[in-house]
Amino acid sequence: MKHNIHTVKRAINGDVASFEELLFKEEKMLYFKALSYVGKKEDALDVIQETACNAFLSIGQLRNPEYFSTWLFRILIRECYRLLKKREQIIPYEENELLRRLESKQDKEIESFHLSEALSKLNSSYQTSIILFYYHDLSIQDISEVMEKLIGTIKTYLHRAKKKLKRELERSYQLNEKIT
């Protein structure tokens, strides 16, 4: 845990300075995650501002201080959804971060291209569930809350998304082998 449990407890009890300290520690994470969802710096900053406000108003409801980061992240994701829903936009997948994480296992250039192509062919619900599960390491329960879907629905999204990714990657490798 990157936060001092006592600082979180003080923030829960209404200590504004402790709450600000916690937000400063999460500053970069909040910005980059918001930016990856909304795409524009200004929108990311708006989402962070709403997240901070909502978190401050509801921190008294945080039951488990050790999950402060996860709790804050869920608020951020909900705010991103609200902003994008307001504009009727689709949530983009976090291609760059996801690719960087997966590239370390195999050939960087080829993997980036193939994975990017495969991810781009998934619908937004599948993309979001894959990103939250594999990149952000959220549990299926947490993804269910963030996406406001039933747990069974999230499991279905993940299962179908993995099947489609596998098919697309196999297909692109076969095409690549024929070309080379």
Side-chain angles (χ1 to χ4, degrees):
M1 184 172 120
K2 66 179 170 182
H3 298 295
N4 181 325
I5 196 82
H6 300 297
T7 305
V8 177
K9 286 181 179 178
R10 284 195 308 271
I12 290 171
N13 292 325
D15 184 359
V16 176
S18 295
F19 182 77
E20 286 178 359
E21 180 183 331
L22 294 170
L23 280 182
F24 283 127
K25 287 183 179 178
E26 297 286 351
E27 182 178 26
K28 286 183 181 178
M29 181 273 305
L30 289 171
Y31 176 73
F32 289 115
K33 289 187 183 191
L35 186 62
S36 71
Y37 277 88
V38 296
K40 294 180 185 172
K41 177 182 175 183
E42 297 79 17
D43 291 340
L45 294 174
D46 287 344
V47 166
I48 292 169
Q49 185 175 9
E50 287 298 317
T51 299
C53 181
N54 289 338
F56 181 74
L57 293 174
S58 62
I59 192 154
Q61 299 170 6
L62 178 62
R63 292 183 210 136
N64 299 319
E66 61 273 11
Y67 296 120
F68 175 79
S69 292
T70 304
W71 174 79
L72 187 63
F73 175 67
R74 286 197 312 225
I75 294 172
L76 178 81
I77 297 298
R78 285 191 195 115
E79 288 304 318
C80 289
Y81 269 104
R82 282 192 189 112
L83 178 75
L84 293 171
K85 196 173 197 178
K86 194 164 104 175
R87 290 200 205 131
E88 298 179 16
Q89 291 183 345
I90 296 173
I91 295 179
Y93 58 92
E94 297 172 319
E95 179 181 20
N96 293 334
E97 285 107 348
L98 185 59
L99 291 177
R100 268 188 260 133
R101 187 173 180 141
L102 296 174
E103 282 174 341
S104 63
K105 294 181 181 175
Q106 297 179 1
D107 184 31
K108 292 180 181 178
E109 292 175 15
I110 294 172
E111 284 302 308
S112 297
F113 176 75
H114 293 300
L115 186 57
S116 175
E117 276 294 308
L119 282 171
S120 71
K121 293 181 181 181
L122 295 178
N123 72 35
S124 63
S125 297
Y126 293 176
Q127 287 177 7
T128 302
S129 61
I130 288 285
I131 290 164
L132 293 175
F133 189 75
Y134 288 105
Y135 177 73
H136 296 295
D137 297 322
L138 290 184
S139 68
I140 291 175
Q141 173 69 39
D142 290 341
I143 296 170
S144 168
E145 291 173 22
V146 168
M147 293 180 70
E148 297 175 350
K149 301 282 184 191
L150 296 174
I151 290 174
T153 304
I154 300 304
K155 288 179 180 179
T156 301
Y157 286 170
L158 287 169
H159 178 74
R160 290 179 181 169
K162 287 189 278 187
K163 273 175 86 171
K164 284 188 174 196
L165 279 174
K166 181 181 177 189
R167 264 186 300 204
E168 286 299 322
L169 288 171
E170 286 173 349
R171 190 178 138 272
S172 70
Y173 283 128
Q174 289 171 353
L175 289 173
N176 189 42
E177 286 176 7
K178 288 180 183 178
I179 293 170
T180 57

